[in-house]
Amino acid sequence: MGRTGYVRDSPRRFLHLCREATWRSRRLGFSVPFFSSLFVYIQPAALRNMTTNLGPLHPYWPRHLRLDNYVPNDLPTWHILVGLFSISGVLIVITWLLSGRASVVPLGTWRRLSVCWFAVCAFIHLVIEGWFSFYQEVLLGDQAFLSQLWKEYSKGDSRYILGDGFIVSMETLTACLWGPLSLWAVIAFLRQQPSRFVLQLMISVGQLYGDLLYFLTEQHDGFQHGELGHPLYFWFYFVFMNAIWLVVPGILVLDSIKHLTHAQSMMDSKVMKAKSKHN
């Protein structure tokens, strides 16, 4: 078989010949860009085959997705994750200190931790998920930090970069409702407002409901939007990061029920005492 057929049958060999030809052209004094362009002109079929064999030029699942506007992140994964968790950590420390000084009555450790939780919720719902709600249509090609954060997370669930109807609706509702209410909950606990446990119950039930639907809809689709079993993308991004929103709100729902039940019992006992006095 001649050299031309040899190249067309194997794109990898074609690349090897390109490198070899470039090295020889330098020794002979030819212009490297000119020689490379000439070689590409001679073998366009090989380049087309090579592009096909390389597969999709994105990291998302299913692998057959065509994402024409996709621009790879220019920030490494560790940079994005460290940035996210650093901001969250600083917010937790600030809220912890604030809950010890700005509260109208002393708060116990458990209650201060719950206030920190709602502060982080307000940040995530308003800022991160709010960003997604506004910019989900241009995430693929945008290189802002929060857009790159969502493109990174989408490696575990590509519904976020596909404009999935459920995901867009859920995240928009979360940003518009649970974000402001989480901020209100922080203020309510610091100011000892009577509505504080009602707010805690509303937010936590909403978070539980949304997270359960999030998992169940992906399970119904056969977990096709991420690499099933991948230690980072599936187990950490998809499972662990979302399981938090089942565990903590579940505990807070029980806590709210306990306090609201106690408050109702106290109210009922007062009513019964008042009636007994009249009798």
Side-chain angles (χ1 to χ4, degrees), residues 27-225:
R27 294 193 63 185
L28 295 174
F30 288 107
S31 169
V32 174
F34 170 78
F35 190 86
S36 300
S37 300
L38 181 62
F39 214 165
V40 169
Y41 176 78
I42 293 173
Q43 297 295 344
L47 284 180
R48 286 197 296 270
N49 292 337
M50 180 176 62
T51 302
T52 302
N53 294 338
L54 285 176
L57 301 178
H58 62 76
Y60 303 111
W61 288 71
R63 300 302 292 149
H64 60 74
L65 290 176
R66 181 174 177 178
L67 304 174
D68 295 331
N69 298 325
Y70 172 66
V71 177
N73 285 348
D74 56 21
L75 294 175
T77 299
W78 70 267
H79 189 144
I80 296 173
L81 295 180
V82 168
L84 171 64
F85 290 115
S86 295
I87 294 173
S88 300
V90 169
L91 184 59
I92 289 173
V93 171
I94 292 175
T95 307
W96 176 267
L97 296 176
L98 185 65
S99 64
R101 298 180 181 181
S103 178
V104 295
V105 298
L107 298 177
T109 300
W110 160 250
R111 192 57 55 203
R112 293 175 71 182
L113 287 174
S114 67
V115 172
C116 292
W117 164 257
F118 284 117
V120 173
C121 286
F123 165 68
I124 291 176
H125 295 332
L126 286 173
V127 179
I128 298 179
E129 291 172 304
W131 180 277
F132 173 82
S133 299
F134 277 108
Y135 298 105
Q136 52 90 15
E137 293 183 355
V138 297
L139 281 180
L140 276 176
D142 190 47
Q143 292 294 74
F145 177 81
L146 289 178
S147 294
Q148 294 195 53
L149 172 64
W150 280 114
K151 284 193 287 184
E152 176 63 28
Y153 176 78
S154 296
K155 294 175 183 177
D157 186 353
S158 64
R159 290 181 292 176
Y160 282 87
I161 48 94
L162 295 177
D164 179 83
F166 167 74
I167 293 295
V168 173
S169 301
M170 180 195 68
E171 294 293 354
T172 302
L173 184 66
T174 299
C176 294
L177 285 182
W178 310 139
L181 288 179
S182 295
L183 186 59
W184 185 7
V186 172
I187 298 172
F189 277 105
L190 293 179
R191 299 289 94 189
Q192 291 293 293
Q193 295 177 1
S195 61
R196 59 191 183 276
F197 287 106
V198 176
L199 287 170
Q200 177 172 289
L201 181 62
M202 289 174 55
I203 297 166
S204 300
V205 169
Q207 291 171 335
L208 272 173
Y209 182 69
D211 209 28
L212 283 171
L213 287 179
Y214 175 76
F215 278 120
L216 291 174
T217 51
E218 179 61 5
Q219 186 272 335
H220 181 268
D221 290 339
F223 297 103
Q224 63 174 314
H225 298 101

